[in-house]
């Protein structure tokens, strides 16, 4: 299906802006407008636009009648674009940004007002990111709750695809705006993302300064659509032949959403990104996701860092939601594998392959009765809350618990028929005898068998493995599409109520006490 705003490599603005009438050709980039949030210190905010080749452009920042700062540049010959980097600003506002183009004897002036400085977060992914506040639990109350959040500003990119990397957005669904029940609840999967909004609201409650939120997501799309050719190549994603990009069309086509919905934003200064995607890769290039996801993060980071002339941090914080659960006709390993690949097969983030990342575990936020299908759970508040904890720890350096318990040590006590798990944190346990499974092998055949809980204490859990008469090869936790009922998984960290993430650990010949990549590799005692 093709979106109404479908364009091929067009750079023409399809949105008529009030300011655009001020002069042919001279304009701000599509996402510089009234009510916006510009990135605060230590970064300098990038302001850019188009003009007449060779003209002088003076950008000034005003507070009331007072000029705070002035930057002068000129319009580049081939691209007809201009760009300035403002000095780093403390959070707050409002300010006015003025840009004046002088060419020969003509001056043209553009203004945007009500500009705040704060942290700008980009939110992207597929339908679970696209779901709006009108679709979630307690929608009416959440939609009405905007008065206290007038410094959280929202912006939503249109569904557009392009064959080439665009320099500016070809279309915008929602220009920078203060939140209202109308623009937050525009309809199902239309305009502002609920996860994005709730994440911004939680951040605002913690930081008490302006937050800018840019929503750019499209339902049903695989990671390949959001990846540049560079990252697909780095992961060996097949690009030719059968079932590959030649035959994939619409918004799932490789790189088309990167080109039209992400790349145009790369010249702005950002604080970070949050991402909720992966369902569309459960049956599409699933085994490559442990490469395509870290590669996307790395490529976005490089591109945004360069595009903002170093103002967006090289390793800006990148948060994501680990897939929730849904009612599937078949029960297989595909969902758990994507969840695992979302962590580059570590089970936790940040890790060596995914520095400066954070994750919200959501497998316990299932929603059997969601009117949008169980693939679209309505509790986005808990998703955003868990994400914001990760942001506070990873992006803002607060010392707080932002991830649930994982085993640090897994010890096989073969003679006692026990597998002892020592957790990194305190655990709160609710007995469930099928959630842990062991891979048991004999005659070159391995089978997954349930490993019931034997005993537990504050930080350890012993599994009964007597049902395995052969050799134990691996242990895994919550390795199903639907591991538990709503907020009823067997393992949580008690005070933070964060769920233990799913994991798989394999038998190694590592000596006890030696460290390995996986916190949970099994050691025989
Ligand atoms: C245009 O702007 C420049 C710089 O602000 C100023 O010196 C000049 O007088 C202006 N010219 C006109 C025609 O307004
Ligand atoms: C990714 O996972 C697949 C199996 O799902 C595995 O064969 C491959 O080695 C993994 N690649 C990386 C880079 O971890
Ligand atoms: C945006 O960044 C890219 C990469 O650094 C650069 O080539 C391009 O000229 C920038 N755009 C503007 C308007 O300066
Ligand atoms: C919805 O509101 C009820 C009543 O205040 C509350 O108990 C519940 O946790 C809310 N649900 C979500 C997902 O926030
Ligand atoms: C393993 O767990 C059992 C049951 O909790 C406990 O009695 C035993 O001391 C543990 N063994 C080791 C080596 O930690």
């Amino acid at each position: 299906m093709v979106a109404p705003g479908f364009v091929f490599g067009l750079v023409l603005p399809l949105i008529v802006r009030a300011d655009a009438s001020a002069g042919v050709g001279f304009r701000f980039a599509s996402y510089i407008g009234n009510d916006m949030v510009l990135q605060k210190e230590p970064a300098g905010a990038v302001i850019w636009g188009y003009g007449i080749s060779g003209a002088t452009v003076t950008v000034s920042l005003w507070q009331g009648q007072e000029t705070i700062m002035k930057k002068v540049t000129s319009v580049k010959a081939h691209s007809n674009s201009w760009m300035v980097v403002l000095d780093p600003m403390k959070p707050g506002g409002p300010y006015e940004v003025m840009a004046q183009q002088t060419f020969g004897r003509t001056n043209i002036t553009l203004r945007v007002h009500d500009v705040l400085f704060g942290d700008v977060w980009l939110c992207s992914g597929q339908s679970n990111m696209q779901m709006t506040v009108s679709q979630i639990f307690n929608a009416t109350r959440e939609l009405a709750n905007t008065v206290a959040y007038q410094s959280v500003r929202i912006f939503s990119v249109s569904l557009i695809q392009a064959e080439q990397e665009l320099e500016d957005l070809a279309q915008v669904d929602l220009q920078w705006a203060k939140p209202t029940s109308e623009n937050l609840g525009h309809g199902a999967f239309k305009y502002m993302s609920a996860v994005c909004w709730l994440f911004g609201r939680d951040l605002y409650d913690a930081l008490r300064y302006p937050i800018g939120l840019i929503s750019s997501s499209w339902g049903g799309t695989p990671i390949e659509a959001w990846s540049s050719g560079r990252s697909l190549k780095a992961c060996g994603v097949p690009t030719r032949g059968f079932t590959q990009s030649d035959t994939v069309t619409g918004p799932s086509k490789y790189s088309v959403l990167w080109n039209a919905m992400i790349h145009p934003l790369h010249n702005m200064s950002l604080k970070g990104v949050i991402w909720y995607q992966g369902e569309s890769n459960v049956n599409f290039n699933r085994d490559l996701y442990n490469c395509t996801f870290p590669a996307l993060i790395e490529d976005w980071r490089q591109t945004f860092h360069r595009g903002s002339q170093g103002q967006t941090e090289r390793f800006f914080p990148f948060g994501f939601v680990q897939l929730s659960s849904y009612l599937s006709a078949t029960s297989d390993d595909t969902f758990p594998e994507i969840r695992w690949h979302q962590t580059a097969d570590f089970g936790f983030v940040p890790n060596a392959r995914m520095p400066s990342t954070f994750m919200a575990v959501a497998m316990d936020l299932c929603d059997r009765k969601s009117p949008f299908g169980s693939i679209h759970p309505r509790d986005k508040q808990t998703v955003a809350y868990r994400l914001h904890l990760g942001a506070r720890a990873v992006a803002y350096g607060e010392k707080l618990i932002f991830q649930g318990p994982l085993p640090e040590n897994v010890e096989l006590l073969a003679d006692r028929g026990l597998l002892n798990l020592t957790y990194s944190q305190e655990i709160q346990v609710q007995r469930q005898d099928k959630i842990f499974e062991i891979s048991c092998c004999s005659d070159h055949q391995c089978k997954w068998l349930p490993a019931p809980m034997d005993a537990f204490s504050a930080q350890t859990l012993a599994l009964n493995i007597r049902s395995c008469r052969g050799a134990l090869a691996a242990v895994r936790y919550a390795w199903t599409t639907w591991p538990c009922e709503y907020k009823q998984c067997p393992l949580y960290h008690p005070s933070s109520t964060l769920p233990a993430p799913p994991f798989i650990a394999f038998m190694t010949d590592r000596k006890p006490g030696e460290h390995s990549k996986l916190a949970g590799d099994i050691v025989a005692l």
Side-chain angles (χ1 to χ4, degrees):
M1 217 184 70
V2 167
F6 185 77
V7 286
F8 281 99
L10 269 186
V11 188
L12 289 177
L14 303 181
I15 295 285
V16 180
R17 298 161 42 78
D19 293 332
S21 60
V24 176
F26 185 50
R27 66 174 182 92
F28 284 112
S30 60
Y31 47 88
I32 293 176
N34 299 337
D35 296 316
M36 83 177 303
V37 176
L38 287 169
Q39 182 57 44
K40 70 162 189 75
E41 62 178 8
V46 171
I47 306 276
W48 71 277
Y50 294 98
I52 302 175
S53 171
T56 299
V57 175
T58 306
V59 176
S60 50
L61 187 68
W62 295 72
Q63 190 161 36
Q65 299 303 308
E66 198 191 337
T67 321
I68 308 279
M69 172 190 326
K70 204 173 245 190
K71 300 281 170 189
V72 182
T73 186
S74 56
V75 180
K76 284 183 272 181
H78 296 292
S79 57
N80 290 320
S81 65
W82 52 270
M83 173 200 253
V84 299
V85 179
L86 300 184
D87 299 336
M89 292 288 295
K90 293 212 175 323
Y95 296 91
E96 186 176 71
V97 176
M98 195 172 100
Q100 186 175 56
Q101 174 180 265
T102 308
F103 189 68
R105 290 206 187 155
T106 52
N107 280 349
I108 303 169
T109 303
L110 306 176
R111 287 189 177 83
V112 294
H113 56 78
D114 248 308
V115 173
L116 305 177
F117 284 85
D119 280 337
V120 182
W121 285 85
L122 168 61
C123 312
S124 184
Q126 55 180 108
S127 53
N128 271 308
M129 185 59 97
Q130 225 184 343
M131 274 175 84
T132 60
V133 180
S134 57
Q135 294 176 273
I136 66 173
F137 282 128
N138 301 337
T140 311
R141 178 146 41 92
E142 300 292 13
L143 286 172
N145 183 14
T146 57
V147 179
Y149 297 102
Q150 295 297 297
S151 295
V152 181
R153 304 289 171 80
I154 58 176
F155 178 95
S156 188
V157 175
S158 299
L159 309 189
I160 306 236
Q161 38 187 328
E163 295 292 330
Q164 264 92 43
E165 291 181 343
L166 304 188
E167 285 308 317
D168 196 7
L169 297 170
Q171 197 178 316
V172 171
D173 273 349
L174 177 66
Q175 268 296 346
W176 283 108
K178 293 176 186 166
T180 64
S181 57
E182 288 73 32
N183 59 23
L184 286 174
H186 195 75
F189 304 108
K190 276 217 156 92
Y191 297 11
M192 195 58 204
S193 151
V195 169
C196 191
W197 164 248
L198 297 167
F199 173 77
R201 215 174 69 175
D202 286 341
L203 276 187
Y204 179 80
D205 285 338
L207 301 168
R208 310 304 300 178
Y209 62 68
I211 301 289
L213 301 170
I214 298 174
S215 173
S216 182
S217 33
W218 194 328
T221 54
I223 194 167
E224 290 78 2
W226 299 98
S227 304
S228 73
R230 291 176 300 276
S231 25
L232 296 177
K233 203 169 154 211
C235 291
V237 175
T239 53
R240 249 169 298 154
F242 197 70
T243 73
Q244 313 310 342
S245 68
D246 298 350
T247 53
V248 178
T249 54
S252 293
K253 197 167 176 186
Y254 293 0
S255 304
V256 293
L257 305 183
W258 159 255
N259 289 341
M261 294 176 67
I262 302 296
H263 182 270
L265 302 166
H266 80 293
N267 294 108
M268 82 186 306
S269 315
L270 282 183
K271 175 67 181 179
V273 169
I274 58 169
W275 173 257
Y276 193 162
Q277 190 278 335
E279 298 89 339
S280 284
N281 285 97
V282 165
N283 290 310
F284 184 70
N285 289 341
R286 178 182 61 249
D287 290 349
L288 292 174
Y289 204 86
N290 51 6
C291 183
T292 47
F293 186 40
L296 173 140
I297 296 172
E298 169 58 16
D299 189 65
W300 285 27
R301 282 175 170 166
Q302 269 186 31
T303 309
F304 276 79
H305 180 68
R306 194 176 322 128
S308 64
Q309 304 200 357
Q311 300 305 314
T312 297
E313 271 180 59
R314 175 65 181 81
F315 292 95
F316 64 72
F318 193 110
F320 64 94
V321 183
Q322 193 181 41
L323 294 195
S324 187
S325 32
Y326 90 111
L327 293 169
S328 77
T330 56
S331 124
D332 55 26
D333 287 352
T334 57
F335 242 65
E337 276 167 17
I338 281 284
R339 290 191 190 114
W340 189 241
H341 286 344
Q342 286 184 294
T343 67
D345 304 354
F346 281 74
F348 59 89
V349 300
N351 61 50
R353 288 191 59 210
M354 299 173 69
S356 197
T357 56
F358 53 96
M359 165 172 90
V361 173
M363 66 175 178
D364 65 332
L365 302 178
C366 50
D367 186 1
R368 225 172 256 286
K369 296 193 184 126
S370 171
F372 313 102
S374 63
I375 195 84
H376 298 125
R378 287 167 292 172
D379 180 355
K380 295 293 189 257
Q381 288 91 334
T382 309
V383 167
Y385 175 76
R386 290 176 184 172
L387 259 185
H388 114 284
L389 288 181
R392 281 169 65 183
V394 171
Y396 297 98
E398 257 189 81
K399 294 238 177 310
L400 49 77
I401 290 174
F402 67 102
Q403 44 196 354
L406 271 168
E408 260 174 354
N409 245 312
V410 185
E411 292 166 338
L412 175 61
L413 309 165
D415 49 342
R416 296 181 55 196
L418 291 178
L419 193 65
N420 276 23
L421 279 56
T422 309
Y423 277 84
S424 57
Q425 295 165 331
E426 252 186 273
I427 47 174
Q428 179 182 302
V429 183
Q430 201 176 18
R431 259 181 200 283
Q432 214 269 49
D433 285 339
K434 296 210 168 100
I435 195 110
F436 282 97
E437 294 170 294
I438 45 170
S439 169
C440 183
C441 309
S442 53
D443 301 331
H444 306 289
Q445 287 228 322
C446 300
K447 243 174 87 176
W448 287 102
L449 304 172
M453 296 178 185
D454 182 276
F456 54 85
S457 62
Q459 248 170 287
T460 65
L461 179 63
L463 301 177
N464 175 337
I465 56 162
R466 272 162 229 137
S467 63
C468 179
R469 312 226 168 255
L472 189 138
V475 59
R476 64 189 190 182
Y477 170 71
W479 211 260
T480 60
T481 309
W482 186 284
C484 58
E485 289 309 310
Y486 182 70
K487 293 193 176 176
Q488 294 293 318
C489 269
L491 287 176
Y492 286 89
H493 175 257
S495 60
S496 68
T497 66
L498 290 171
F503 78 86
I504 185 163
F506 298 91
M507 197 72 201
T508 62
D509 43 21
R510 181 167 60 94
K511 309 260 181 317
E514 266 177 26
H515 285 284
S516 72
K517 176 186 137 180
L518 275 179
D521 277 356
I522 306 167
V523 200
L525 285 190

